[in-house]
């Protein structure tokens, strides 16, 4: 898949925590709760679990207000997605087909506004361009920005100029003798 500009390359793993990572963090919070019950102070809990004192303080307040249930994971964060899993897979296939498949032939780039338009026409769901950005990140896409180079650029001519012309233009700085960068402590003779 070739993408000139916009959204196109997928992350190896989608953004956010995996279910395994959420379980691991919940395990640490529940261990802190057991230490709270045993009478440990915030500093002892932070040191014992190797977490920040600020996190322990937040967990302590939640524990005091709601017990162990307050420290249980609430699942993945963020807003609920407006598209179903099947629609997300279909959108991924649509994006892989390229912008030309939807009439954006003047340049081969997906932008958030164009993707929002495709989602609205294909699935009947409205997204703002910023919302499309969050959706694409959740799907594992990343922003791709091309290097700006002229279409007429001749790489061989640039290499020849850099190797032959530039050293003559740049020249060598002549040293007048031993020097020192410090203005307050000159070099001794």
């Amino acid at each position: 898949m070739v993408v000139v500009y916009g959204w196109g390359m997928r992350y190896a793993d989608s953004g956010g925590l995996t279910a395994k990572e959420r379980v691991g963090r919940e395990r640490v919070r529940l261990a802190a709760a057991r230490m709270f019950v045993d009478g440990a102070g915030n500093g002892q809990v932070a040191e014992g679990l190797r977490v920040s004192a600020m996190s322990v303080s937040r967990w302590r307040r939640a524990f005091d207000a709601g017990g162990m249930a307050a420290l249980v994971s609430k699942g993945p964060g963020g807003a609920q997605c407006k598209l179903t899993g099947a629609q997300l897979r279909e959108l991924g296939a649509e994006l892989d087909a390229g912008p030309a498949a939807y009439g954006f032939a003047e340049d081969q780039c997906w932008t958030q506004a164009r993707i929002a338009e495709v989602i609205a026409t294909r699935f009947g769901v409205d997204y703002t361009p910023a919302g499309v950005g969050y959706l694409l990140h959740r799907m594992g896409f990343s922003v791709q920005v091309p290097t700006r180079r002229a279409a007429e650029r001749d790489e061989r001519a640039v290499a020849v100029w850099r190797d032959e012309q530039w050293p003559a233009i740049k020249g060598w700085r002549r040293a007048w003798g031993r020097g020192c960068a410090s203005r307050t402590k000159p070099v001794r003779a």
Side-chain angles (χ1 to χ4, degrees):
M1 166 178 56
V2 176
V3 175
V4 176
Y5 174 75
W7 290 89
M9 299 299 291
R10 293 180 190 248
Y11 290 109
D13 185 22
S14 297
L17 293 177
T18 64
K20 184 177 179 180
E21 291 168 330
R22 278 193 306 276
V23 168
R25 289 192 180 185
E26 179 184 46
R27 190 174 299 127
V28 171
R29 290 192 304 271
L30 294 178
R34 286 189 291 278
M35 293 174 80
F36 295 153
V37 170
D38 293 340
N42 286 3
Q44 292 171 320
V45 174
E47 187 177 321
L49 297 177
R50 300 182 69 191
V51 296
S52 71
M54 186 180 291
S55 292
V56 174
S57 178
R58 188 175 55 249
W59 298 340
R60 169 84 68 177
R61 284 192 308 273
F63 178 76
D64 290 344
M68 289 276 217
L71 298 178
V72 173
S73 176
K74 294 164 185 65
Q80 283 294 103
C81 185
K82 297 177 184 178
L83 300 175
T84 65
Q87 289 174 327
L88 288 174
R89 285 188 294 280
E90 192 175 332
L91 177 62
E94 300 289 336
L95 295 178
D96 287 341
Y102 278 91
F104 303 115
E106 65 273 3
D107 60 352
Q108 286 295 303
C109 67
W110 280 118
T111 62
Q112 291 176 339
R114 287 179 175 182
I115 296 171
E117 186 179 323
V118 168
I119 291 171
T121 57
R122 188 82 173 101
F123 305 111
V125 176
D126 289 328
Y127 270 96
T128 64
V132 169
Y134 289 121
L135 175 68
L136 292 173
H137 181 75
R138 184 183 301 152
M139 290 174 66
F141 284 93
S142 65
V143 179
Q144 303 296 303
V145 180
T147 55
R148 302 277 184 209
R149 292 217 169 113
E152 302 84 11
R153 181 179 168 116
D154 182 5
E155 292 296 331
R156 194 170 56 71
V158 169
V160 168
W161 183 89
R162 187 178 52 240
D163 293 340
E164 296 173 7
Q165 301 279 327
W166 176 242
I169 294 169
K170 182 179 175 189
W172 291 99
R173 181 180 159 285
R174 294 178 187 251
W176 297 305
R178 281 185 54 200
C180 180
S182 172
R183 294 179 187 207
T184 59
K185 186 176 179 186
V187 175
R188 294 184 202 156

